[in-house]
Amino acid sequence: MLSKIAPSNRSETSLRDIYLIVCRQRWKIALFFLAVMVVTTLVTFLSPKIYRSEAQLMVRLGRESVTLDPTASTGQVVSIGQSRENEIKTELQILQSRALAEQVVDAIGYQAILEGQLPSSSVGQASAASSEDVALERDKAVRSLTQGLELENKENSNIIAVAYEAKSPKLAQAVVAKFVDLFRDHHIRAHRTYGSDEFFNQQTEQLRVQLAESENALKELKNQSGIASVTEQRTILLNRIGDLQRQLEGTEAALAASRSRVGAMQKTLASAPSTLVRSRIAGYSGNPLDFLQQRLLELQIQEKELRATMTEKNRLVKDVRQQIAEVQALIDKEGATHAKVTNLALLAEQAMVSELQAKAKVLKQELVQAQSELAGINEAEVKIARLEREIEIQRNNFRNYADKFSQAKIDRALEMEKISNISVVQPASSPVKPVRPRKGLNLALGFFVGAFGGVGLGFLSEYMDHSFRTPDEVTRKLQLPVLAAIPRFEGQKAKGYLVAGVPLLLPRVAPVWDMAEEMTERCGLLPANMLCDKTAADTAQLLAVTSCYSGEGVSTFAANLAINLVNQTGSRVLLVDANLAQPSIHQVFKVSQAPGLADLLAQASGLSNSIQPSNINNLDILTAGQGQVNLARFFESRQFVDLLDLWKREYRFIIIDTPPFQEAATVTRLSRLADGVVLVVESERTRWEVVQQAQAALEKAQAHVLGVVLNKRQFHIPGWLYRTL
């Protein structure tokens, strides 16, 4: 008996396997490709033409390029520049705003946006619909415009492209043009500080009034203080105070000297005779002492005059005193101190003292007055400095607010003239040719999608298909030998394949190429595989042929197997049709269906009357009959065992065409009594999971599964290509 074989090592996927999948799934691939091409063609030629209008805006450096807000501070405003990337993003956000889209819809008309066509006349939109419906339609148009609008920032540039597509070229151009125009207005308003011109005008006027009041106050203060320039006035006054102090010091020194001389004269007169000298002889008397005294008096008078204007440290004063000392020394040397000083000299000296006292008093008064004037200048200087500081602050504020007021007026003028840092590089283009549909591109894409999608669908279908397609798959999944792989034949073509004059009756499917050689080889080797072993060559054998589903070719295979066994062994063979539900053996051999197995089991006929000879020597037929019996119970009965013994004495091979494995009880009970079971599996139909379940059930029933016959195998690859690969 044949045993299970080890699964063969499967080779890597080859080019033949790929061609096999493509050829096997060719109809799915072709239908998918055809469907894609049909849909693509219909969409391409039936879709409305779409026109595209585009405009380009450049964001250049301008007053909007910095974050300048005149109202941010009352002092100097610092312009803080922002990155160009952020500026471009800001403009894109403005372009994407819903408010701007609503303005465009209101300007163009929501009906034109929804219909994709400009109205034929300039008449406004119909107002028959309710306000709620109009609001809904308007909102729908705004969303449609927002979704259809394309905004793109050209890489590494300050260009923003604005594009819109519509069914009408005029509508596309009108939408883009209106969008650009409204965006420029929106951009100017977004970057303008509202109310700044009125605010700065008011502040400028207030500062002008305050500055005038402060300037008047400073003028009145200078007029009242009589100070034109504080610095110059202080310099003059300080020089005057210095002169007064020097004069006062000289006067006080002369006064002290004069008082000293008066005292000396009074002492001299006190020691002299009490004689009143009323006259004085002028000129030189010839007495040296008189001359020295005269010289001493002159030097003393000169000293008084010098000290009136000079200090004691002056060189002239020191020289005069030195001369006085020398003359006094000569007088002392002469020993004559009889100065003829009269009361008149004393009176003159006393008058000099009075004069110097009066002069010192006047100098002190003038010094006090000068110092008082200096204190007044200092006090006025503080007031003047405070007023000048306030005036400077007010002047700076006035200048800043005046500049900002000028800037605000410039901003308003620029807004009125729509001047900004947004430049229209390219106005809204007028499209001539539609941008969609692109017929050539669509058809090419449809071709590639259909081709590659169809191939992908084919491979997916192949992956999802769990049916057996080749003998290698049977061996790998079931670990059973493949007894035969019978190709699928068309009825007319099958007439040429005869075994002992009996045609091979296979399903009507056109062969891919000439399979006569393979059929002859397979059918010729099959009986040898059916022999359990050579030592039991003379022992009768019961072979059961079954399948998982009906219509897999069990009856056809059983008939051909019986014919080949007769031809190769020359032994007697009995072919039993046990498929009572769908009998077909009587049709193959053109014999009567009754009496048969059902009649025999029902004791409606004898054994000799039930078995019919065929037109092939040594091949007898037991048809299904026309009775209704329980085969499952009969196969377990003693009667069937006795019947088998009788058959085995008469025939070398007994081949039973069993029902499909759907009637598991009948097949499993018969398989216990059979010497071997052959599973017929239809290629590309039966899933390997179902066959494995049938195999497990047979093994559980301790049946001897000889192998698998892969029936109706299809060769999808053409013969010449198959042999080439």
Side-chain angles (χ1 to χ4, degrees), residues 132-356:
E132 183 178 357
D133 294 337
V134 171
L136 292 176
E137 292 296 316
R138 178 178 179 272
D139 180 72
K140 185 178 179 181
V142 171
R143 286 187 281 107
S144 175
L145 177 64
T146 304
Q147 295 173 359
L149 191 68
E150 297 181 13
L151 303 174
E152 180 185 2
N153 174 221
K154 302 298 183 179
E155 186 176 2
N156 298 326
S157 70
N158 299 330
I159 300 297
I160 298 177
V162 181
Y164 184 74
E165 297 178 355
K167 299 177 182 179
S168 168
K170 294 183 179 180
L171 176 62
Q173 183 184 21
V175 169
V176 174
K178 182 60 66 175
F179 201 90
V180 171
D181 189 41
L182 292 177
F183 163 69
R184 296 180 66 188
D185 296 341
H186 203 78
H187 166 84
I188 294 174
R189 290 195 300 271
H191 287 84
R192 179 174 179 263
T193 303
Y194 287 94
S196 60
D197 49 351
E198 294 83 358
F199 170 76
F200 286 115
N201 185 23
Q202 180 182 2
Q203 293 298 318
T204 302
E205 292 299 326
Q206 291 179 0
L207 288 174
R208 181 182 289 109
V209 173
Q210 294 177 4
L211 181 60
E213 292 177 354
S214 299
E215 290 176 346
N216 292 331
L218 179 61
K219 181 177 68 175
E220 292 177 0
L221 178 60
K222 288 184 177 182
N223 292 335
Q224 292 176 1
S225 62
I227 299 175
S229 174
V230 175
T231 303
E232 295 179 358
Q233 291 291 102
R234 182 186 290 108
T235 301
I236 295 173
L237 190 57
L238 289 176
N239 292 333
R240 179 186 173 191
I241 291 174
D243 293 340
L244 290 174
Q245 287 178 346
R246 285 192 298 271
Q247 291 179 14
L248 181 60
E249 290 176 355
T251 301
E252 288 179 347
L255 179 61
S258 181
R259 285 176 178 174
S260 177
R261 286 193 298 270
V262 169
M265 289 180 181
Q266 288 178 350
K267 288 180 181 180
T268 302
L269 290 176
S271 62
S274 177
T275 302
L276 178 60
V277 180
R278 295 187 180 273
S279 63
R280 184 175 181 183
I281 300 173
Y284 178 63
S285 64
N287 188 355
L289 183 60
D290 292 339
F291 175 80
L292 292 175
Q293 289 178 347
Q294 180 67 29
R295 181 61 180 165
L296 178 61
L297 181 59
E298 292 175 355
L299 291 174
Q300 288 177 348
I301 293 174
Q302 184 178 359
E303 181 187 11
K304 292 179 182 179
E305 292 175 354
L306 291 174
R307 291 193 60 186
T309 58
M310 300 179 184
T311 61
E312 294 180 358
K313 295 181 181 181
N314 192 279
R315 183 178 59 83
L316 296 176
V317 176
K318 291 181 179 181
D319 292 342
V320 172
R321 285 183 178 179
Q322 185 177 1
Q323 293 176 11
I324 292 172
E326 292 176 353
V327 172
Q328 186 67 41
L330 291 175
I331 292 174
D332 293 339
K333 185 177 180 182
E334 291 292 330
T337 57
H338 302 286
K340 293 182 179 180
V341 181
T342 63
N343 289 333
L344 292 175
L346 178 59
L347 292 175
E349 195 66 33
Q350 288 178 345
M352 179 64 68
V353 170
S354 298
E355 179 183 355
L356 292 175

Side-chain angles (χ1 to χ4, degrees), residues 332-438:
D332 293 339
K333 185 177 180 182
E334 291 292 330
T337 57
H338 302 286
K340 293 182 179 180
V341 181
T342 63
N343 289 333
L344 292 175
L346 178 59
L347 292 175
E349 195 66 33
Q350 288 178 345
M352 179 64 68
V353 170
S354 298
E355 179 183 355
L356 292 175
Q357 287 178 347
K359 182 178 181 180
K361 182 178 180 181
V362 171
L363 290 175
K364 288 181 180 179
Q365 290 177 354
E366 290 181 358
L367 182 60
V368 171
Q369 183 179 359
Q371 290 176 346
S372 177
E373 291 178 2
L374 180 61
I377 289 176
N378 292 335
E379 183 178 357
E381 180 184 15
V382 174
K383 294 181 180 179
I384 291 173
R386 183 173 60 252
L387 283 175
E388 288 180 345
R389 185 167 55 252
E390 292 178 357
I391 290 173
E392 184 65 23
I393 293 174
Q394 292 173 356
R395 185 177 290 113
N396 291 334
N397 290 339
F398 173 76
R399 187 179 299 110
N400 289 334
Y401 275 94
D403 292 341
K404 294 171 187 176
F405 177 59
S406 299
Q407 179 183 352
K409 291 195 297 182
I410 292 173
D411 288 343
R412 169 170 286 189
L414 291 174
E415 179 184 2
M416 297 298 295
E417 297 297 330
K418 296 184 179 181
I419 299 175
S420 67
N421 66 334
I422 301 297
S423 299
V424 179
V425 179
Q426 174 188 313
S429 60
S430 178
V432 178
K433 295 182 179 180
V435 295
R436 292 197 310 271
R438 299 180 180 178

Side-chain angles (χ1 to χ4, degrees), residues 2 482-485 499 517-531 557 560-561 564-565 568-569 709:
L2 292 174
V482 178
L483 303 177
V499 179
E517 181 179 355
E518 181 171 350
M519 274 298 301
T520 304
E521 179 182 357
R522 290 290 184 182
C523 294
L525 294 178
L526 191 58
N529 293 335
M530 296 296 101
L531 298 176
F557 173 74
N560 285 275
L561 175 61
N564 281 278
L565 287 174
Q568 292 190 16
T569 63
V709 173

